[in-house]
Amino acid sequence: MTEDTAYMERALELAAMALGRTSPNPLVGAVVVRDGEIVGEGYHQKAGTPHAEIHALRQAGEKAKNAVLYVTLEPCCHYGKTPPCTDAIIRAGIKKVVVAVKDPNPLVAGKGIQALKDAGIEVSLGMLEARARRLNEAFFKYMVERRPFVTLKAAMSLDGKIATSSGDSKWITGAEARAYVHRLRAENDAIMVGIGTVLADDPLLTVRLPGEDRKPLRLVVDSGLRIPLTSRLVRTAREVPTVVAAVKGKCQAEKKEKLESAGVEVWELPEKEGRVGLCSLLEELGKRGVLSVLLEGGSTLNAAALAAGIVDKFIFFYAPKIIGGKGAPGPFGGTGINLLKDALEVAELSWERIGADLMLVCYPVKPAKE
Ligand SMILES: NC(=O)c1ccc[n+]([C@@H]2O[C@H](COP(=O)([O-])OP(=O)(O)OC[C@H]3O[C@@H](n4cnc5c(N)ncnc54)[C@H](OP(=O)(O)O)[C@@H]3O)[C@@H](O)[C@H]2O)c1
């Protein structure tokens, strides 16, 4: 690793410190370096607060003059909730800016870099770009497609079972993996499950971590409003935002009213084969500014999401145990495929130990768009 890349590594590390806190803004980190010494560091901590570059420049003070700024995303050049960072960089006397990746936001998209160049600042683009994109994968998708990034999470045994054939499923993975799922929840704008999971498990779908106050939207796909008024989700809907996505024309008015008066938002969406159209649902979420969704099952919804091509990332937890049994379910129900050549391929596999379990992260290989 060159010294240069080490500074960008540090900027990426700083950016990641705000995981789950910046939506709808991206995670950004910045480092100011003069004469081989880091003189300022910063990261964007929360939407509406100063950007990473501003924190780093403030810390550097006078030392920013003739220094190099490493930043994980192209600096902004427009007035949003805060003034343009390019102005602050120019004023501070920075001589060179190293940018990991161009901002996909059409309001910026290269204009920030141009503004710096116009002011006589040297700009280099593309250092650790792939990592910088991955860090903000939801933001990049949303900026281009205006639909949220969907991460499918499933926990299973080594032989791919999410329950025994008698239905016993609590718990397959250990306490550390389960705590990790709460972190994943905190990093996403919404958590989605099918009504089957609500009826079977009566989950709360909240973030339960010490010191964490994020309340991602809880979303149940439930075509005909089968969700019980006594479920924990409905009973806590006044404290945690809760949406039930149903099929237009399939909702009983009286049940809808009861849910709404309990604090649940009911969305009536177009159907696809009699169930909630998942693409319409993503569009609706996008319109409401939801950038990321954690899909937590069950297997019927997982299979439908896979078939609809809406999954952007998989996080699989494997517990070091074997369950067996022909009738024991796996994470994907539905009918599956007939021919191996039609299997969904995944790429970019990475894994780590979480307590006694194994966490595997990968991405579906999507067919290139014509
Ligand atoms: N180990 C794990 O990681 C894990 C995670 C979650 C759940 N689980 C287990 O999975 C089981 C529940 O799974 P499940 O397969 O019975 O139910 P599910 O996938 O949670 O829910 C499926 C239901 O969602 C509704 N739905 C609405 N729109 C849909 C669409 N476009 N596509 C698919 N479904 C849609 C359908 O009911 P309507 O037709 O009435 O709308 C469907 O029957 C539970 O036993 C739970 O414990 C395990």
Side-chain angles (χ1 to χ4, degrees), residues 108-120:
V108 188
K111 296 191 199 96
I113 291 175
Q114 196 52 50
L116 296 172
K117 284 185 176 165
D118 290 347

Side-chain angles (χ1 to χ4, degrees), residues 161-172 196 200-201 323-325 327-330:
K161 308 289 190 188
I162 62 164
T164 65
S165 29
S166 67
D168 189 21
S169 64
K170 284 201 175 80
W171 297 102
I172 292 180
D201 300 344
I323 291 178

Side-chain angles (χ1 to χ4, degrees), residues 153-156 161-163 167 169-170 172 193-198 200-201 221-224 226 245 250 272 274-278 296-302 304-305:
K153 161 252 142 188
M156 62 196 111
K161 308 289 190 188
I162 62 164
S169 64
K170 284 201 175 80
I172 292 180
V193 293
I195 182 63
T197 296
V198 176
D201 300 344
V221 285
D222 177 12
S223 316
R226 288 195 283 151
K250 248 189 159 183
K272 180 101 195 283
R275 285 174 163 169
V276 178
L278 297 179
E296 293 202 30
S299 54
T300 306
L301 181 60
N302 285 349

Side-chain angles (χ1 to χ4, degrees), residues 123-366:
V123 181
S124 124
L125 174 69
M127 180 183 286
L128 302 184
E129 176 170 350
R131 277 185 50 195
R133 269 179 193 279
R134 274 288 170 235
L135 181 71
N136 281 308
E137 52 198 5
F139 176 78
F140 271 84
K141 177 178 180 189
Y142 187 80
M143 278 296 151
V144 177
E145 298 182 28
R146 292 277 147 194
R147 281 153 52 120
F149 185 93
V150 178
T151 302
L152 185 151
K153 161 252 142 188
M156 62 196 111
S157 59
L158 272 190
D159 55 334
K161 308 289 190 188
I162 62 164
T164 65
S165 29
S166 67
D168 189 21
S169 64
K170 284 201 175 80
W171 297 102
I172 292 180
T173 46
E176 289 93 338
R178 299 205 305 275
Y180 196 94
V181 171
H182 283 268
R183 262 174 55 196
L184 290 176
R185 285 182 180 171
E187 288 167 14
N188 280 271
D189 290 342
I191 298 157
M192 170 157 96
V193 293
I195 182 63
T197 296
V198 176
L199 296 174
D201 300 344
D202 194 15
L204 255 182
L205 304 178
T206 48
V207 177
R208 298 188 292 279
L209 287 177
E212 180 55 71
D213 56 3
R214 276 213 79 198
K215 290 181 179 173
L217 179 80
R218 303 180 299 182
L219 171 66
V220 183
V221 285
D222 177 12
S223 316
L225 296 187
R226 288 195 283 151
I227 190 166
L229 294 167
T230 52
S231 62
R232 296 206 293 167
L233 285 170
V234 175
R235 282 192 282 124
T236 54
R238 296 225 170 275
E239 294 109 66
V240 190
T242 310
V243 166
V244 174
V247 166
K248 211 178 179 138
K250 248 189 159 183
C251 303
Q252 214 201 352
E254 198 189 334
K255 179 77 177 269
K256 184 179 172 204
E257 262 168 43
K258 281 186 178 155
L259 286 170
E260 285 172 343
S261 54
V264 175
E265 221 185 303
V266 177
W267 295 354
E268 293 190 66
L269 298 171
E271 55 95 35
K272 180 101 195 283
E273 289 157 12
R275 285 174 163 169
V276 178
L278 297 179
C279 292
S280 310
L281 175 58
L282 282 203
E283 255 166 52
E284 191 59 34
L285 286 163
K287 279 187 206 148
R288 291 170 188 248
V290 171
L291 270 67
S292 54
V293 174
L294 184 68
L295 169 54
E296 293 202 30
S299 54
T300 306
L301 181 60
N302 285 349
L306 210 59
I310 64 159
V311 181
D312 297 297
K313 180 179 186 176
F314 297 99
I315 302 185
F316 296 128
F317 292 92
Y318 291 97
K321 51 185 85 153
I322 290 170
I323 291 178
K326 233 197 252 177
F332 299 98
T335 48
I337 50 158
N338 287 326
L339 298 172
L340 264 180
K341 73 171 178 57
D342 296 326
L344 176 79
E345 288 195 29
V346 297
E348 296 179 65
L349 276 77
S350 61
W351 54 88
E352 65 179 278
R353 286 288 288 267
I354 307 282
D357 303 313
L358 184 70
M359 179 178 74
L360 191 139
V361 179
C362 56
Y363 295 84
V365 178
K366 293 196 175 178

